[in-house]
Amino acid sequence: MNINDVFHNCVGVKEESDGLRPVRFGDRLLDFYRDRGEMTDIRANATAGITMDFTTSADTVRFDYATGRFCRPFVAFDVYENDVFITTIREPDESASGTVTYDKRNPGRTRLTFVLPYTTDTRISGCDFGDDARPVRDDRPLMLFLGDSITQGMTAIRPSQGYAYLLARTMGFRPLNWGVGSYVFDARTLDDVADVDASAILVAYGTNDYTKIREGAMTMADFETAVAEYMSGLRFAVDEGTAVTVITPIWRSADCGTDEDRTLMDRVRATIINQAVRQRFDVIDGLALVGHDDAFLADGLHPNDLGAAMMANNIVRAKLG
């Protein structure tokens, strides 16, 4: 078996000195995000949404992992058997390397899916998946996720419990997660969109743009221009039949407590809606997706596992309604 074939929801696999590193972006975009700064570089290289997917009759499987830089400290691998969530294998925070050993629950040939961390770049080596292991072929249509840290998966503890992975799985798509923490509407990130041949695209930026405007690092006029350029660039990049859905920023308790802050966020949302509608994209109101209670947020901004599940469920409701 070619071990490269077990990796899914990525655009390629790089051979590193300490293992195989599946990547979400091609070299051009990786270089682009690296040039934006270390924080963006770390997030772009993280293995958000990427899986190892294979069938085997072996009772026990194992593999070695190595990590790099972290945007969150969690090192966790979610395990599915026959497409049923079984467990999360939690390693020590910011673990630089280790070995994952998993005892299969189902007898006989079983499909095993390991969801890799969204928090760090992950390299895989030393795989022992059994003598009869075979990679799984995934023929589901592709859903491309374009967004910031919330799309990347922060701050769920379990890597398969971010809203993007949950939503794609629920709706019968294979996900390609292009969420990059801290990022904003930027048309320069769209050059490779046409190459991935997505059947559906979900866009969810705006929360970092709001912060930049609030802190004086961006003007409202600059934001309006950036959103217009992004939406028109996305319309140009995709086929007319590609389903594009734009989500406005979700509710947050952090740094949005004054009337002035809420007014600014309303202007941000209105700008996103206006430009999305101009390009004939569907729009979902982010305020309706996650409960307006800090119980659903990890830090006043990012959904926790519970909030991400609510977000995915309410996106499905909005799209089916």
Side-chain angles (χ1 to χ4, degrees):
M1 179 179 71
N2 184 348
I3 194 66
N4 289 31
D5 293 337
V6 307
F7 294 103
H8 292 273
N9 310 334
C10 56
V11 301
V13 180
K14 295 180 177 292
E15 294 189 14
E16 309 275 340
S17 60
D18 53 357
L20 298 174
R21 180 168 69 93
V23 292
R24 297 183 287 146
F25 300 101
D27 289 340
R28 192 201 70 81
L29 275 174
L30 286 176
D31 290 344
F32 174 83
Y33 284 122
R34 183 194 63 225
D35 292 342
R36 307 282 78 75
E38 184 179 17
M39 182 171 65
T40 307
D41 185 32
I42 291 171
R43 287 154 171 75
N45 278 279
T47 46
I50 297 176
T51 64
M52 296 190 296
D53 205 351
F54 56 93
T55 63
T56 184
S57 297
D59 294 327
T60 300
V61 299
R62 61 178 53 86
F63 58 89
D64 299 328
Y65 70 85
T67 63
R69 301 164 298 167
F70 287 84
C71 58
R72 291 292 188 273
F74 321 129
V75 181
F77 300 83
D78 280 352
V79 186
Y80 289 73
E81 291 196 22
N82 296 329
D83 206 30
V84 176
F85 179 86
I86 301 296
T87 191
T88 298
I89 298 174
R90 183 81 182 268
E91 295 288 285
D93 284 357
E94 297 191 355
S95 172
S97 62
T99 299
V100 169
T101 301
Y102 178 71
D103 295 326
K104 187 160 60 69
R105 310 284 178 86
N106 287 283
R109 177 166 288 279
T110 303
R111 177 181 177 180
L112 294 180
T113 306
F114 289 86
V115 185
L116 303 186
Y118 73 84
T119 55
T120 183
D121 53 300
T122 311
R123 283 91 69 198
I124 301 295
S125 63
C127 298
D128 183 0
F129 296 153
D131 293 339
D132 66 347
R134 297 290 182 271
V136 168
R137 180 173 176 174
D138 192 345
D139 292 325
R140 294 175 299 171
L142 178 70
M143 178 176 282
L144 175 63
F145 292 87
L146 305 171
D148 49 36
S149 55
I150 295 173
T151 296
Q152 185 176 335
M154 299 176 199
T155 299
I157 299 296
R158 298 168 180 83
S160 71
Q161 298 305 293
Y163 89 84
Y165 192 90
L166 290 171
L167 179 66
R169 185 167 181 265
T170 299
M171 298 190 69
F173 288 90
R174 52 189 173 96
L176 181 57
N177 189 329
W178 277 9
V180 175
S182 80
Y183 220 65
V184 296
F185 282 102
D186 186 341
R188 294 173 296 178
T189 65
L190 295 172
D191 289 353
D192 295 352
V193 166
D195 297 335
V196 301
D197 193 26
S199 297
I201 297 175
L202 192 144
V203 180
Y205 291 105
T207 190
N208 294 310
D209 308 75
Y210 159 81
T211 299
K212 285 179 176 290
I213 299 168
R214 183 176 180 269
E215 295 177 349
M218 176 192 292
T219 67
M220 193 67 200
D222 288 340
F223 172 67
E224 292 169 348
T225 299
V227 177
E229 290 178 350
Y230 186 93
M231 296 298 183
S232 62
L234 183 57
R235 169 51 67 200
F236 179 78
V238 301
D239 295 333
E240 188 66 32
T242 303
V244 178
T245 301
V246 177
I247 294 178
T248 62
I250 65 172
W251 179 83
R252 60 201 281 165
S253 61
D255 66 33
C256 205
T258 69
D259 289 342
E260 184 180 5
D261 291 337
R262 287 189 289 271
T263 297
L264 175 58
M265 181 60 90
D266 287 344
R267 292 185 64 191
V268 167
R269 291 191 177 98
T271 297
I272 295 170
I273 292 169
N274 179 51
Q275 293 300 329
V277 170
R278 282 173 177 260
Q279 301 301 333
R280 305 179 306 284
F281 298 150
D282 293 333
V283 178
I284 294 177
D285 179 9
L287 288 177
L289 298 182
V290 180
H292 294 200
D293 188 310
D294 275 335
F296 301 104
L297 303 177
D299 51 11
L301 172 60
H302 299 92
N304 54 26
D305 295 50
L306 184 61
M310 180 181 287
M311 185 172 178
N313 287 337
N314 282 325
I315 293 171
V316 173
R317 288 180 65 241
K319 292 187 74 64
L320 296 181

